[in-house]
Amino acid sequence: TFTPRVFSGIQPSGGLTLGNYLGAIKRFVQMQEEDFETIYCMVDLHAITVWQDPADLRRNTRELAAGFIASGISPEKSILINQSQVPEHAQLGWVFSCVARVGWMQRMTQFKDKAGKNTQNVSLGLFGYPALMAADILVYHATHVPVGEDQKQHLELTRDIALKFNHDYGVDFFPITEPVIEGAATRVMSLRDGSRKMSKSDPSDASRINMTDDADAIAKKIRKAKTDPDALPSEAAGLKDRPEARNLVNIYAALSEQSVDQVLREVGGQQFGAFKPMLADLAVSKLSPISGEMARLMNDPAEIDRVLARGAEQAREITAPILKKTYEIIGM
Ligand code: ADP
Ligand code: NA
C-alpha cells in the first residue's frame, strides 16, 4: 500500500568516484525511468560526521549535484535535494536515535572501519550515522533504495528501525524498505589494494578514478593499477582469489553493460598489458561526456542552487506530513 518510491544519497565529502557511478548513480538513472517516484540526495549532514572544510563542502555539494545531473538525473523527473535543506531528515533522525539501540550501532562494520582504533575520539554523529540514514529513507516512506554492497548492513538496520517503531507504537506506519544491489560492480575496489573499496575519502588519489579525471589521468591510474602476473582467464571462475584482476574485469563489464563471462569470452588469454589500455579507452569514452557536462554546469553555480531549492520545496511536501504523523503517533 506504499507508493513505489526510491530514495538514495551520496556524501559530498569529496569528488565522485567510478565506484559511486557504477555502484549507485547508474542505477539511480535507470530507476528514474521506471515506475518509481525518485528522490536523490546530497547527504551533507552525513559528510560532517568527519571534518569538512566549509569551502570544500559547499563546492563538493554543488559538484555532486552537477555529477548527478550530468549522469542523467533530470530535475524534471526526480527530486534532487541537499539533505540539510530538508529539515525533516534531521528531525526524524533524532526520533530514530531514540528507537535504535547502542548495541545495533556497535555492530556496524563501516563504523569499525572508519573509526579504526580511535573509537573514543570520533564524532558521536559517525557512530549514530545509520539512524540518520534510516530517517533519510523513511521520511519519504521510500520502498526501494539502490546502493552499493557496502551499504547493505545499514539498510538492514533501517529495516530493523522501521520494524521496532511499528512494533513499539502498534502501527503499520513505516515501510520495510528493499535494498537494490545489482550488477557487475556493486563493490568496486581500490586500484591500489584489492581488499579495500574504492572511496572518495581514500587519502590516495591513485586508488580511485574520479569522475572529473581527464583521459591522461584515467589511463595512468589504470596502467598503474595493481594486478597479478597471470593472463586473464576465459571464464569467471578463473578470477577466484584474484581480487585485483576480478575488479578490473568487473569494471569493464559494468561500463560495457556485459556480464563478466561475456567480457572474458572476448579478452580471455590476454595479458594485462593489452587489457588495461582497452579498459582505459572504455572508461574515458563513458566518463568524458559526463565530466564535460559537469564542468559546464559548474560554470553556473546559481542555477545548481536554484535546482536544489526547488527540490527541497518538492521534498517537503512529502516529508512534512510524514514527520507530523510520526510526532502524533509518538504523542507529540
Ligand atoms: P564514498 O565511500 O565514495 O564516500 P558514499 O558513502 O558517499 O561513498 O556512498 C554513495 C553511494 O555509492 C552508496 O550507494 C555506496 O554504496 C556507493 N559506493 C561507494 N563506494 C562504492 C564502491 N567502491 N563500489 C560500489 N558502490 C560504491
Ligand atoms: Na520515475
Side-chain angles (χ1 to χ4, degrees), residues 8-11 13 17 19-20 22-24 28 110 114 129 146-151 185-189 197-201:
S8 198
I10 297 189
Q11 301 186 65
S13 51
T17 71
N20 300 135
L22 294 178
F28 297 176
Q110 180 173 294
K114 287 198 174 177
Y129 185 120
V147 283
E149 219 168 273
D150 58 313
Q151 293 301 321
T186 56
R187 187 172 177 83
V188 177
M189 306 311 284
K197 76 157 194 161
M198 183 181 288
S199 173
K200 64 172 95 73
S201 48

Side-chain angles (χ1 to χ4, degrees), residues 72-223:
I73 292 168
S74 156
E76 310 305 322
K77 295 182 183 171
S78 294
I79 298 177
L80 193 59
I81 53 166
N82 186 21
Q83 188 185 24
S84 59
Q85 291 179 359
V86 181
E88 290 80 11
H89 286 246
Q91 290 174 293
L92 187 63
W94 178 258
V95 171
F96 286 171
S97 289
C98 300
V99 173
R101 307 287 91 181
V102 168
W104 298 2
M105 300 295 167
Q106 281 169 333
R107 287 196 289 273
M108 294 297 110
T109 56
Q110 180 173 294
F111 176 73
K112 290 184 213 168
D113 285 351
K114 287 198 174 177
K117 291 195 181 70
N118 194 19
T119 52
Q120 297 306 297
N121 196 33
V122 293
S123 73
L124 190 55
L126 188 70
F127 185 66
Y129 185 120
L132 180 59
M133 178 167 159
D136 297 334
I137 295 164
L138 295 172
V139 81
Y140 296 92
H141 278 182
T143 55
H144 294 77
V145 182
V147 283
E149 219 168 273
D150 58 313
Q151 293 301 321
K152 195 169 175 216
Q153 197 185 28
H154 289 162
L155 284 176
E156 280 160 14
L157 196 112
T158 298
R159 293 160 67 97
D160 289 342
I161 288 175
L163 284 166
K164 181 162 162 57
F165 182 97
N166 289 347
H167 175 267
D168 288 353
Y169 291 102
V171 291
D172 187 15
F173 185 61
F174 287 114
I176 310 306
T177 304
E178 286 298 328
V180 180
I181 304 174
E182 286 166 6
T186 56
R187 187 172 177 83
V188 177
M189 306 311 284
S190 158
L191 299 178
R192 307 301 305 163
D193 176 352
S195 71
R196 296 182 61 82
K197 76 157 194 161
M198 183 181 288
S199 173
K200 64 172 95 73
S201 48
D202 191 317
S204 157
D205 188 66
S207 71
R208 62 174 167 266
I209 292 174
N210 304 301
M211 295 294 286
T212 51
D213 282 345
D214 62 23
D216 287 345
I218 293 174
K220 185 168 175 215
K221 286 175 181 178
I222 291 177
R223 191 166 64 241

Side-chain angles (χ1 to χ4, degrees), residues 4 28-38 40 77-78:
F28 297 176
V29 177
Q30 285 166 0
M31 293 186 94
Q32 167 185 269
E33 306 305 329
E34 295 168 9
D35 256 350
F36 292 103
E37 286 181 28
T38 42
Y40 297 123
K77 295 182 183 171
S78 294

